């Protein structure tokens, strides 16, 4: 059986490790307890967080016990950003986000069996911590010169950084110490951008308790141009279906670049590496079919939103481009798909024509261009070719009484909502 570290390595999931040989030995001796933390700085987790959740799941599948930490206290402060001071959210807002994120992380791990997961909140051990105890028991272990040398701190010294954000590393390190003492936790995982905070926790445990523990960081997931992965034209790709619809989520993976799609398959899916190699061979032979992207989108959407939503997203993708029946799409799926494609609202009282709709939806930059599209046979309403540019859109054209799908040629899709 493949050692979990070897599997993580083969999938490109190890950017840093404090002592890989020692960690391998401890993982091999028997189940360990490990943790990964998430700060509620937004109402939902996003794709970047998903990588950490799936890494935690991989370790659990290998027999180890996860602690999923939601930062009820660290979320009130926020990890320092290079760009400037974070906005402080209210305690009530953070409390709501804690509940959201607790529910989200709970869907990805198993709570049964000897290695069942536990969700923890660091507000439980910080809420009653006095300032004196915090400074005496935690602060004394942090040399200020080392804190000043941290990249994110040094980059902010000239513009200014508050003591609140400067001291964030102490709170996150305290998490590791508390989980080590309460649950026997000996490994923290996280993103490579958290490496300084993670290793500070390792050092705190060594200084405070004299114990040796471990840390492991995954790499920053990027696009081919080096920019951060997980952003689309419409913004951050969230795990909450209310913020990013399952269709939009599916489409974000469909758009994966050819040069990165196999990397994402290794990191974000549980497919066997041999199967991924086969997908890669087929992708290299016929990249235009985008089979790797479709498999990636299907696998990750199923993990996050379930098979039913994946099937609906796949059906919508086919139907919008004339390869399926639009009538089979639910109103919610159709609405999400068209909103993602840039659908606009039109008033039925204005009696808009096909030309009006194409211009309003951005499928043509002028009325004359819209007329040319119709004349050239490249204009479609609900996948039916339109021959009359003056055709008025009426209730008979509306799906679910509201929506009309517009397409120019084979690939340009938008739509209108009429009332």
């Amino acid at each position: 059986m493949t050692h979990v570290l070897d599997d993580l390595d083969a999938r490109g999931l190890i950017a840093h490790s404090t002592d890989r040989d020692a960690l391998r030995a401890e993982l091999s001796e028997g189940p360990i307890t490990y943790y990964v933390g998430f700060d509620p700085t937004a109402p939902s987790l996003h794709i970047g967080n998903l990588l950490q959740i799936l890494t935690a799941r991989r370790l659990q599948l290998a027999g180890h016990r996860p602690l999923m930490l939601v930062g009820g206290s660290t979320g009130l402060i926020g990890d320092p950003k290079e760009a400037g001071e974070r906005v402080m959210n209210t305690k009530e807002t953070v409390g709501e986000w804690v509940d959201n994120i607790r529910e989200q992380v709970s869907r990805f791990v198993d709570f049964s069996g000897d290695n069942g997961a536990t969700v923890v909140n660091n507000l439980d051990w910080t809420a009653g911590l006095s300032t004196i105890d915090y400074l005496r028991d935690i602060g004394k272990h942090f040399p200020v010169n080392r804190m000043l040398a941290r990249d994110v701190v040094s980059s902010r010294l000239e513009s200014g950084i508050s003591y609140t954000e400067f001291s964030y590393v102490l709170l996150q390190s305290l998490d590791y110490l508390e989980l080590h003492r309460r649950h026997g936790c000996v490994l923290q995982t996280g993103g490579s951008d958290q490496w300084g905070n993670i290793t500070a926790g390792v050092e705190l445990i060594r200084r405070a308790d004299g114990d040796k523990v471990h840390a492991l960081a995954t790499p920053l997931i990027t696009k081919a141009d080096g920019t951060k992965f997980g952003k689309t034209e419409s913004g951050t790709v969230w795990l909450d279906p209310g913020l990013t619809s399952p269709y939009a989520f599916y489409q974000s993976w469909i758009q994966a670049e050819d040069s990165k799609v196999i990397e994402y398959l290794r990191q974000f899916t549980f497919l066997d590496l041999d199967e991924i190699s086969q997908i890669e061979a087929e992708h290299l032979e016929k990249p235009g079919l985008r089979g790797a992207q479709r498999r990636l989108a299907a696998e990750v959407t199923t993990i996050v939103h379930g098979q039913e939503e994946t099937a609906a997203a796949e059906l919508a993708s086919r139907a919008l481009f004339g390869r399926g029946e639009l009538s089979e799409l639910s109103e919610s799926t159709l609405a999400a798909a068209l909103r993602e494609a840039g659908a606009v609202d039109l008033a039925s009282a204005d009696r808009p024509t096909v030309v009006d709709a194409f211009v309003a939806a951005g499928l043509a930059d002028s009325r004359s261009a819209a007329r040319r599209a119709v004349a050239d046979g490249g204009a479609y309403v609900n996948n039916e070719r339109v021959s009359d540019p003056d055709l008025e859109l009426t209730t008979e054209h509306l799906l679910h009484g509201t929506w009309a799908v517009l397409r120019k040629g084979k690939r340009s899709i938008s739509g209108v909502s009429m009332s």
Side-chain angles (χ1 to χ4, degrees), residues 323-343:
R323 299 189 299 273
E325 292 297 327
L326 289 168
S327 60
E328 295 181 11
L329 300 182
S330 68
E331 182 173 8
S332 61
T333 299
L334 179 63
L338 291 181
R339 288 300 185 198
E340 182 67 13

Side-chain angles (χ1 to χ4, degrees), residues 5-83:
L5 279 186
D6 293 332
D7 182 64
L8 294 177
D9 208 11
R11 293 178 181 274
L13 288 171
I14 301 179
H16 308 293
S17 178
T18 44
D19 186 337
R20 192 179 300 197
D21 290 339
L23 176 57
R24 174 184 292 273
E26 192 149 1
L27 288 166
S28 300
E29 286 177 4
I32 69 164
T33 298
Y34 61 97
Y35 98 93
V36 59
F38 304 95
D39 277 348
T41 53
S44 169
L45 299 178
H46 51 72
I47 282 181
N49 304 126
L50 179 62
L51 187 71
Q52 305 311 318
I53 295 172
L54 298 183
T55 301
R57 179 61 178 159
R58 294 183 201 281
L59 285 162
Q60 185 179 34
L61 290 172
H64 306 288
R65 177 176 176 247
L67 302 174
M68 310 297 282
L69 182 142
V70 182
S73 61
T74 44
L76 290 168
I77 294 174
D79 197 19
K81 300 188 302 181
E82 293 184 2

Side-chain angles (χ1 to χ4, degrees), residues 24-298:
R24 174 184 292 273
E26 192 149 1
L27 288 166
S28 300
E29 286 177 4
I32 69 164
T33 298
Y34 61 97
Y35 98 93
V36 59
F38 304 95
D39 277 348
T41 53
S44 169
L45 299 178
H46 51 72
I47 282 181
N49 304 126
L50 179 62
L51 187 71
Q52 305 311 318
I53 295 172
L54 298 183
T55 301
R57 179 61 178 159
R58 294 183 201 281
L59 285 162
Q60 185 179 34
L61 290 172
H64 306 288
R65 177 176 176 247
L67 302 174
M68 310 297 282
L69 182 142
V70 182
S73 61
T74 44
L76 290 168
I77 294 174
D79 197 19
K81 300 188 302 181
E82 293 184 2
E85 199 79 6
R86 285 185 180 272
V87 175
M88 291 281 190
N89 296 301
T90 67
K91 291 182 179 180
E92 292 75 20
T93 296
V94 172
E96 291 177 5
W97 293 351
V98 165
D99 292 338
N100 293 349
I101 292 172
R102 180 188 293 115
E103 188 277 329
Q104 285 183 332
V105 300
S106 297
R107 290 190 278 112
F108 295 94
V109 289
D110 187 356
F111 288 85
S112 63
D114 294 338
N115 68 329
T118 302
V119 177
V120 294
N121 184 343
N122 56 22
L123 192 62
D124 292 344
W125 53 83
T126 56
L129 183 64
S130 73
T131 303
I132 295 299
D133 289 339
Y134 174 66
L135 293 174
R136 282 176 55 86
D137 298 338
I138 307 302
K140 69 178 180 180
H141 295 300
F142 285 82
V144 171
N145 60 322
R146 290 181 59 181
M147 294 175 67
L148 289 170
R150 297 178 67 221
D151 290 342
V152 69
V153 173
S154 61
S155 68
R156 291 270 302 279
L157 287 179
E158 187 172 340
S159 61
I161 183 171
S162 69
Y163 177 76
T164 301
E165 289 197 1
F166 178 68
S167 62
Y168 175 90
V169 63
L170 277 71
L171 285 177
Q172 184 167 321
S173 299
L174 173 60
D175 290 343
Y176 201 170
L177 178 63
E178 285 292 330
L179 294 177
H180 178 64
R181 289 172 172 173
R182 294 172 180 231
H183 299 276
C185 181
V186 295
L187 170 65
Q188 182 184 359
T189 66
S192 58
D193 59 339
Q194 289 290 307
W195 188 240
N197 290 331
I198 295 172
T199 54
V202 172
E203 179 65 11
L204 174 61
I205 292 171
R206 185 191 69 80
R207 287 170 175 260
D209 289 3
D211 294 337
K212 180 177 180 179
V213 294
H214 308 282
L216 184 149
T218 60
L220 181 67
I221 306 302
T222 63
K223 300 177 184 178
D225 63 3
T227 58
K228 198 170 184 178
F229 178 69
K231 299 276 188 178
T232 66
E233 291 183 3
S234 57
T236 299
V237 181
W238 303 101
L239 304 190
D240 186 335
L243 298 176
T244 298
S245 71
Y247 174 82
F249 186 87
Y250 178 89
Q251 287 298 318
S252 73
W253 297 97
I254 283 285
Q255 295 163 13
E257 299 154 302
D258 287 337
S259 61
K260 302 291 285 187
V261 63
I262 301 303
E263 177 183 323
Y264 299 157
L265 274 166
R266 295 190 187 103
Q267 294 169 328
F268 286 94
T269 79
F270 291 92
L271 294 176
D272 184 87
L273 290 172
D274 289 338
E275 184 174 359
I276 294 175
S277 294
Q278 180 60 40
I279 295 172
E280 181 177 20
E282 295 170 357
H283 173 69
L284 292 173
E285 183 178 349
K286 297 180 179 179
L289 296 179
R290 299 186 70 77
Q293 281 89 345
R294 290 199 302 274
R295 186 63 183 275
L296 172 67

